[in-house]
Amino acid sequence: MRSVCIAGNWKMNMSPSEGRAFAKALVEALKDATVRVVVAPPYVTIAPVAEALSGSRITVGAQNMSDNLSGAFTGEVSAPMLKEAGASVVILGHSERRALYGETDEFINRKVRLALAQGLDVILCVGETLAERESGKLEHVLATQTAGGLKDVTSRDMSRVIIAYEPVWAIGTGKTATPEDANAAHAFIRGEIAKLYGKAVAESLIIQYGGSVKPSNVKDLMAMEHIDGALVGGASLTVEQFAPIVRYNIG
Ligand code: PEP
């Protein structure tokens, strides 16, 4: 039985004071949650959120990090800085970073390996655009992004990696992949992991679905065999929406 992880990607929302107040409200609302929960605030909001969440079961992630450890890299934030601020996980390869900032599989892979070496867990995002899906390239894109992002990552480190399948056309659009389509993509990714790392690693890998997850669709998605959690954008910004998503299996 795989464990479940639900993560909230706050994107460029929540100032330090807003994040602190929201984190306190989440602790209250998620007291009885049974799954692993991660929230990923903007860099400057990580420390106050980590402080507000200390002693709770909710952990803090970052949305990105530098591919270097320190030095003359204006505007960048390193893995050790994220850890000191309170992050234990980092989201890498989000489609917005791929599309808006030109991040390649090779660049993302550098960050994946560095994050793992520095003791951060990784949520590696993969997913196809609508044009890629419609032109029959879904499997090619998923295989390339999965193998590219994980190049030279050891089997041992795979226990600290989560893959998030996020079809680009479903992110922030209100369009969700059907549970069956999402499950098929997850099964394909798991098969690719089995080819790279063997069946045991593939079977224990958490694969999250991301793309317009809401309280109204989370149960159907989570009922699918290969869906082990969610990476939630818009609906992670209010307690009213995020709490029922995390508590999908309660009550
Ligand atoms: C995301 O940004 O990772 C995401 C899935 O966003 P949304 O839930 O808003 O579609």
Side-chain angles (χ1 to χ4, degrees), residues 220-235:
D220 289 343
L221 289 160
M222 290 303 296
M224 305 308 291
E225 180 186 352
H226 292 284
I227 300 182
D228 316 307
L231 179 53
V232 186

Side-chain angles (χ1 to χ4, degrees), residues 1-249:
M1 195 51 183
R2 283 184 290 274
S3 52
V4 167
C5 177
I6 310 255
N9 174 11
W10 294 359
K11 308 195 185 187
M12 200 168 70
N13 298 290
M14 301 276 184
S15 70
S17 58
E18 290 167 343
R20 182 188 292 113
F22 182 53
K24 284 185 185 158
L26 277 183
V27 170
E28 209 34 50
L30 297 179
K31 262 189 194 142
D32 60 350
T34 57
V35 305
R36 179 175 168 195
V37 188
V38 177
V39 292
Y43 288 140
V44 295
T45 303
I46 289 175
V49 165
E51 201 187 299
L53 295 178
S54 84
S56 82
R57 60 192 330 284
I58 309 171
T59 54
V60 185
Q63 300 170 20
N64 185 29
M65 62 168 236
S66 171
D67 62 327
N68 287 284
L69 279 179
S70 67
F73 302 101
T74 302
E76 292 291 282
V77 176
S78 71
M81 291 171 186
L82 294 176
K83 281 185 72 182
E84 190 176 324
S88 55
V89 191
V90 58
I91 298 170
L92 295 172
H94 191 279
S95 62
E96 285 155 13
R97 299 229 45 101
R98 292 178 190 264
L100 303 174
Y101 303 98
E103 293 200 6
T104 62
D105 289 325
E106 197 185 351
F107 182 62
I108 293 160
N109 174 249
R110 275 170 59 87
K111 299 202 269 190
V112 168
R113 284 184 285 126
L114 188 60
L116 292 168
Q118 291 296 313
L120 287 168
D121 292 355
V122 167
I123 297 177
L124 171 65
C125 302
V126 300
E128 81 290 359
T129 62
L130 192 57
E132 286 165 341
R133 175 172 274 261
E134 286 176 346
S135 59
K137 294 193 187 116
L138 170 65
E139 294 192 346
H140 172 74
V141 170
L142 296 183
T144 306
Q145 292 184 351
T146 301
L150 295 174
K151 189 169 175 287
D152 295 332
V153 171
T154 64
S155 296
R156 198 154 168 251
D157 278 347
M158 282 304 289
S159 62
R160 297 194 290 121
V161 173
I162 289 172
I163 293 187
Y165 167 62
E166 299 206 306
V168 179
W169 47 272
I171 296 179
T173 58
K175 289 183 196 152
T176 320
T178 64
E180 292 72 21
D181 282 348
N183 192 55
H186 285 221
F188 177 79
I189 293 166
R190 206 177 296 289
E192 293 302 292
I193 295 295
K195 281 189 217 160
L196 295 168
Y197 294 100
K199 213 168 171 232
V201 169
E203 283 306 314
S204 58
L205 177 74
I206 294 176
I207 307 181
Q208 297 174 324
Y209 170 77
S212 300
V213 174
K214 304 178 267 264
S216 58
N217 59 25
V218 66
K219 275 191 193 155
D220 289 343
L221 289 160
M222 290 303 296
M224 305 308 291
E225 180 186 352
H226 292 284
I227 300 182
D228 316 307
L231 179 53
V232 186
S236 72
L237 294 172
T238 63
V239 174
E240 291 67 31
Q241 297 223 55
F242 194 55
I245 291 174
V246 172
R247 299 178 72 261
Y248 75 94
N249 59 345

